[in-house]
Amino acid sequence: MKFLNVLALRGPNLWAWSPVIEAWVDLGEWKDRPSTSIPGFNERLMSWLPSMIEHRCSIGERGGFFERLRTGTYMAHILEHVALELQSLAGVPLGFGRARETSKEGVYKVVFKYKDEGLARACLDSARELVLAAAEDRPFALEQTLERLRNLAARNLPSPGVEAILCAAKHRNVPCIQLDLHGTLQLGQGSKARRFRAGQSDRTGAIAQSIAEDIELTRRLVANVGLPAPESCLVSTKEEAWEAAEDIEPPVNVRPQWTTSAPRGVSLNLTSREQVEAAFDTAKTESSAVIVEQYIPGSVIDLLVVNGTVIAATRESASGRIDVLPEVHPGVAEAAVSAARTVGLDLAAVQIAATAISEPLPQSGAAILDVISPPPLETFFSPPEDDEPQPVALAILDWLFPNGETGRIPIVAITGTNGKTTVTRFIAHLLGDTFGRAGMATTDGIYWQGRRIVTGDCSGPTSARNVLMNPGVDVAVLETARGGMLRAGLAFDECSAAVVTNVAGGDHLGLSDIQTSEQLARVKRMIVESLAEEGAAVLNADDPLVAGMAEKSTGGVLYFSRQPANPVVESHRESGGRAVFVRDGTIVFADGRHERALLPAASVPLTLGGKIAFQVENTLAAIAAAWSLGVSLETLEARAKTFSAGLDSDPARFNVLEHRGATVIVDFGHNVDSLRAVIPALDAFQGKRRAALFSSSGDRRDQDIVEMGALLGDAFDRVILYEDADRYERKPGEIIALLRQGLARGKRVAKIEEIEGGLNAFQHAWNTVEPGELLLAQAHSADQTVEFLRRRAAAP
């Protein structure tokens, strides 16, 4: 039994809307051995982990999993339950798990929910060792393993304070990212995000914090605004301590400089020199500096001030901390708020000594001992009740996000087999005037305000999360590729618009055990299932697999189609739905039976005069998405007329160039469906003789590579083949051999050339193109290809 791959799906995923571990497990020799076939296995497992009797399993009742063991179940299923139980014994009781067979015999996907990735991976590894030990009748050091896992949990899991903020954020629908193991949180997204850590926010002033750390200055400022505060003096010797006590007049308190009500090092109500000097020695063990202060009789009360309101108050008792908020007189609360405001803090703990906090300030005998930042939030928590948010944490969220705000920015997610990069760029262009600063993630990089700030393939959740963490982003437009969704889940729990360009025959089939177009559609449908209630799924009505996603939309639905009489669109409009389509060459907006013509498709530069069908489809998708977000039709018309298929605006996506009397079309297309769309589009150009530069990455199925070769062979007179570094596990020459198989079936191709390396092949195609020829040149690396073309354009 071995792990082939272990993935942490950190965002919403195919299994659950919470983080899960997905382990690909090869059972090896154990694949045909159920639990009942291994002597003593069940008994050993149940004796080691008797608490698994609580696992209900598919039987649905206590002891259900043990019943499955007794009737015989497979090792992957057992591994799932043991991993969950080890997590539970480490202090993280989570119940969700799955074990599913893949298309490869003996290989299973074992899935279970987690809270901390490091702990989950450790539990999975330990679960494998435990299961194998039980199967092979070997001893297993269970107690040592649990101690190690519990220590790991203690190091990695969020503190109760962080957990409380996370719970409140979930309750308030505020998205949250934990930035480190120290409890630093990003609450919200982009320009609406706030940062919070250990009782401090991103707006906690440095000067206010510095004042709060200086108790003498704090008390002086508090006294300046007329609030009672004890006299105090910072001392460094016993002699200075007694002199200060005499000046203040006993009784006095003696304590370490940075301690107020902490139990260690504090001596109260001292009257003699011997007491003061002994207390000084004690305090000196806790801090290099010691404070002598006026003794204030009564209890020490901690009040939590949040945004000008006292929302909690506690004091120590024999039974621990008790809530005294109902006893706090408004005058005492007002004094606490004034003290926090004087220091300059919206969030602080104010420590008061008082004989009767239920009395007005003069009668209460109260004095402000300290203003503490960051406040010890856990001091103010009430006993937890299931998943109910702490009132203190909710108050903090309400302060950070007032008036019901959630800190969310508009998110547009785009997926599909083809066209998604162009549609992503087009949408960002359309939204610019309405939504402000756009952050965009595509297969070519991350862009901010149209400027690329990160290069490379950024269509996965890590890059999307980086966009959402950028405080300069007002709207996020995110190309969302299947690979990232399968490897790590989504970067967001909710989006404003979910655009699916197409699925058709699919791409990358065979990878990640996605074997069919239907299965691929299920993956891409995830963004539709993540829609906000007020959001819209923007779906291609001409693609049945995409149109069928409408029933799973968690928001509204807006169809786009190149066919004005598409039956899906007609039915949708009959029930009051919205759609965007082309009729007689004009892009039409429909809201139920009401229609408005926007502009001729030919007036959108991307469509090259309306001649390129798939670019018309991309235009409809982008415009429909922007319309669903509330962009005005006037803005859409104006912005659509300024987006073209140029090397600057949409590089390597059907860029049309003239060179040496030939037409060269530079395109990134690299799958069967893209060729099927591009080849008919070539009829819009002159050039009887056609040439193509083409290859495939090695992760395509054999039959797909052969099919692409066949399409090339029927459409081009000259074909230039190449291979590059993306052969994956294929041998050199294997991809070209498969393409040649397909080309051999073609009826048109007369000449086949082979060049090593994508850029070398592009340069060869560029240098050998003949006048009057039409060359379709695949841009294997968009950046390298565009740089080559720009150098050539700049050359004399």
Side-chain angles (χ1 to χ4, degrees):
M1 184 191 302
K2 64 180 180 180
F3 297 129
L4 303 178
N5 200 3
V6 179
L7 303 172
L9 308 185
R10 302 179 183 95
N13 53 78
L14 282 175
W15 303 99
W17 228 238
S18 53
V20 300
I21 292 291
E22 179 183 290
W24 290 60
V25 187
D26 186 345
L27 296 184
E29 62 179 300
W30 304 101
K31 68 183 177 66
D32 296 320
R33 300 192 64 183
S35 55
T36 50
S37 71
I38 307 169
F41 173 80
N42 288 346
E43 291 72 20
R44 285 186 288 274
L45 190 64
M46 290 188 287
S47 67
W48 289 350
L49 296 174
S51 50
M52 282 200 300
I53 195 172
E54 301 298 335
H55 292 212
R56 304 170 70 88
C57 202
S58 58
I59 293 176
E61 59 186 38
R62 187 174 184 268
F65 175 62
F66 281 0
E67 182 63 24
R68 289 291 304 275
L69 285 174
R70 296 186 187 100
T71 57
T73 190
Y74 52 101
M75 283 295 187
H77 182 213
I78 297 167
L79 181 65
E80 168 213 331
H81 279 270
V82 173
L84 279 170
E85 185 59 22
L86 291 179
Q87 273 198 132
S88 180
L89 293 172
V92 186
L94 297 169
F96 177 84
R98 296 287 186 271
R100 296 291 184 266
E101 191 173 10
T102 71
S103 58
K104 185 175 181 181
E105 185 181 5
V107 176
Y108 288 77
K109 287 186 272 191
V110 172
V111 177
F112 60 95
K113 188 176 179 179
Y114 74 88
K115 182 175 288 185
D116 176 76
E117 183 178 331
L119 175 64
R121 289 179 181 272
C123 288
L124 178 65
D125 289 337
S126 297
R128 173 184 172 275
E129 294 303 317
L130 188 152
V131 170
L132 286 175
E136 295 167 356
D137 195 12
R138 294 187 282 105
F140 182 78
L142 181 61
E143 290 306 317
Q144 294 93 319
T145 298
L146 290 178
E147 182 180 7
R148 176 174 54 83
L149 294 175
R150 286 165 181 156
N151 289 338
L152 182 60
R155 291 196 303 272
N156 288 8
L157 290 175
S159 68
V162 173
E163 282 281 16
I165 297 296
L166 292 172
C167 179
K170 182 178 180 181
H171 182 80
R172 284 275 270 96
N173 194 29
V174 174
C176 184
I177 300 173
Q178 185 165 342
L179 301 178
D180 59 21
L181 290 177
H182 305 293
T184 307
L185 304 176
Q186 172 168 310
L187 300 161
Q189 301 159 336
S191 60
K192 294 186 178 180
R194 301 292 304 274
R195 302 269 168 85
F196 190 82
R197 177 180 177 181
Q200 293 180 311
S201 83
D202 48 357
R203 297 179 190 174
T204 300
I207 294 177
Q209 180 62 35
S210 178
I211 292 171
E213 292 171 358
D214 185 336
I215 192 170
E216 303 309 310
L217 177 57
T218 296
R219 287 178 172 176
R220 192 162 68 248
L221 292 175
V222 165
N224 287 347
V225 297
L227 296 173
E231 295 182 60
S232 60
C233 183
L234 188 66
V235 298
S236 56
T237 67
K238 292 180 181 179
E239 291 74 17
E240 290 178 357
W242 177 242
E243 289 174 5
E246 286 187 310
D247 289 341
I248 294 171
E249 297 183 1
V252 296
N253 302 335
V254 176
R255 62 174 181 80
Q257 181 180 10
W258 303 118
T259 305
T260 51
S261 63
R264 293 184 302 171
V266 178
S267 301
L268 304 176
N269 198 13
L270 309 177
T271 57
S272 69
R273 179 167 188 156
E274 292 76 14
Q275 288 176 323
V276 169
E277 290 181 349
F280 176 89
D281 288 337
T282 301
K284 196 70 173 175
T285 64
E286 297 291 328
S287 171
S288 60
V290 175
I291 289 177
V292 178
E293 65 186 15
Q294 177 186 5
Y295 171 70
I296 306 295
S299 301
V300 175
I301 313 297
D302 292 300
L303 300 98
L304 184 66
V305 176
V306 180
N307 196 31
T309 302
V310 173
I311 57 121
T314 64
R315 68 171 175 83
E316 287 286 353
S317 71
S319 58
R321 287 238 157 222
I322 60 173
D323 177 21
V324 295
L325 183 61
E327 304 173 27
V328 177
H329 189 277
V332 175
E334 184 181 344
V337 169
S338 180
R341 185 184 301 119
T342 297
V343 173
L345 295 167
D346 290 320
L347 176 60
V350 178
Q351 205 161 61
I352 290 179
T355 54
I357 59 169
S358 59
E359 299 294 328
L361 193 60
Q363 290 84 1
S364 69
I368 307 294
L369 299 181
D370 203 359
V371 178
I372 303 169
S373 176
L377 294 179
E378 292 164 30
T379 299
F380 303 99
F381 287 163
S382 55
E385 297 181 10
D386 298 326
D387 290 330
E388 286 298 310
Q390 290 277 350
V392 166
L394 279 177
I396 291 172
L397 264 293
D398 289 341
W399 161 55
L400 295 173
F401 301 98
N403 304 316
E405 295 173 8
T406 62
R408 294 181 181 272
I409 63 173
I411 296 174
V412 186
I414 302 96
T415 194
T417 298
N418 291 303
K420 51 188 179 292
T421 301
T422 294
V423 171
T424 300
R425 289 171 172 154
F426 202 169
I427 291 172
H429 176 79
L430 292 171
L431 298 182
D433 285 348
T434 303
F435 286 91
R437 300 163 296 178
M440 178 176 70
T442 73
T443 50
D444 291 337
I446 295 176
Y447 293 76
W448 180 74
Q449 290 282 73
R451 176 173 60 88
R452 184 159 64 170
I453 57 176
V454 178
T455 60
D457 187 347
C458 295
S459 60
T462 299
S463 298
R465 194 171 289 113
N466 289 342
V467 171
L468 296 175
M469 289 170 60
N470 186 335
V473 171
D474 300 314
V475 58
V477 187
L478 308 174
E479 182 177 346
T480 309
R482 46 151 289 286
M485 287 190 268
L486 289 168
R487 288 190 299 270
L490 295 173
F492 48 86
D493 63 339
E494 191 176 282
C495 63
S496 310
V499 184
V500 186
T501 59
N502 45 65
V503 173
D507 195 12
H508 300 284
L509 297 182
L511 298 181
S512 302
D513 208 39
I514 302 300
Q515 306 294 341
T516 67
S517 299
E518 289 74 17
Q519 291 174 327
L520 181 61
R522 173 65 188 89
V523 176
K524 295 183 180 296
R525 195 181 74 199
M526 282 171 55
I527 66 169
V528 175
E529 296 171 338
S530 73
L531 271 170
E533 185 177 349
E534 66 277 9
V538 180
L539 305 177
N540 186 344
D542 298 333
D543 187 320
L545 288 175
V546 176
M549 297 179 187
E551 63 183 31
K552 296 294 184 179
S553 173
T554 51
V557 174
L558 198 164
Y559 285 114
F560 63 93
S561 171
R562 288 191 290 118
Q563 311 301 324
N566 182 294
V568 173
V569 171
E570 286 295 302
S571 175
H572 184 59
R573 291 182 62 192
E574 284 293 336
S575 57
R578 294 190 295 171
V580 180
F581 53 87
V582 177
R583 180 191 291 134
D584 299 328
T586 297
I587 297 174
V588 178
F589 284 56
D591 189 345
R593 302 317 303 173
H594 176 74
E595 295 183 1
R596 173 173 170 179
L598 182 69
L599 77 168
S603 66
V604 179
L606 181 70
T607 70
L608 297 180
K611 295 180 290 187
I612 311 303
F614 65 85
Q615 295 289 43
V616 172
E617 188 169 275
N618 289 338
T619 297
L620 295 175
I623 288 177
W627 185 36
S628 77
L629 290 168
V631 178
S632 71
L633 300 190
E634 292 74 20
T635 298
L636 289 177
E637 181 178 6
R639 299 288 287 180
K641 291 178 178 178
T642 58
F643 185 79
S644 66
L647 289 176
D648 293 324
S649 56
D650 199 20
R653 267 69 180 182
F654 212 79
N655 308 138
V656 180
L657 309 171
E658 297 299 322
H659 173 60
R660 296 173 55 173
T663 300
V664 179
I665 297 174
V666 181
D667 191 69
F668 188 67
H670 49 266
N671 57 51
V672 172
D673 284 327
S674 69
L675 271 180
R676 286 179 175 152
V678 166
I679 288 173
L682 301 181
D683 293 340
F685 300 90
Q686 295 181 348
K688 293 183 178 180
R689 179 174 170 80
R690 293 184 178 181
L693 165 68
F694 200 83
S695 187
S696 171
S697 61
D699 61 348
R700 265 66 178 188
R701 299 179 302 180
D702 287 3
Q703 63 262 42
D704 294 329
I705 299 176
V706 171
E707 178 64 18
M708 287 188 280
L711 291 169
L712 293 167
D714 277 336
F716 296 93
D717 304 289
R718 178 170 70 110
V719 177
I720 304 166
L721 303 176
Y722 67 92
E723 288 183 353
D724 213 299
D726 58 346
R727 293 195 311 269
Y728 291 84
E729 297 179 0
R730 294 186 183 274
K731 298 176 182 178
E734 186 177 345
I735 295 170
I736 287 180
L738 290 169
L739 287 168
R740 278 186 171 274
Q741 283 185 36
L743 284 164
R745 291 164 23 194
K747 300 180 177 61
R748 180 168 179 172
V749 64
K751 183 179 182 180
I752 302 172
E753 303 174 72
E754 296 181 15
I755 303 292
E756 182 63 30
L759 186 58
N760 290 336
F762 191 92
Q763 292 172 338
H764 171 77
W766 183 262
N767 293 331
T768 60
V769 67
E770 299 177 358
E773 195 171 35
L774 175 61
L775 170 64
L776 175 65
Q778 185 187 59
H780 182 78
S781 167
D783 283 347
Q784 288 183 348
T785 302
V786 170
E787 180 60 27
F788 167 80
L789 292 171
R790 284 177 174 152
R791 286 201 309 270
R792 287 304 178 96

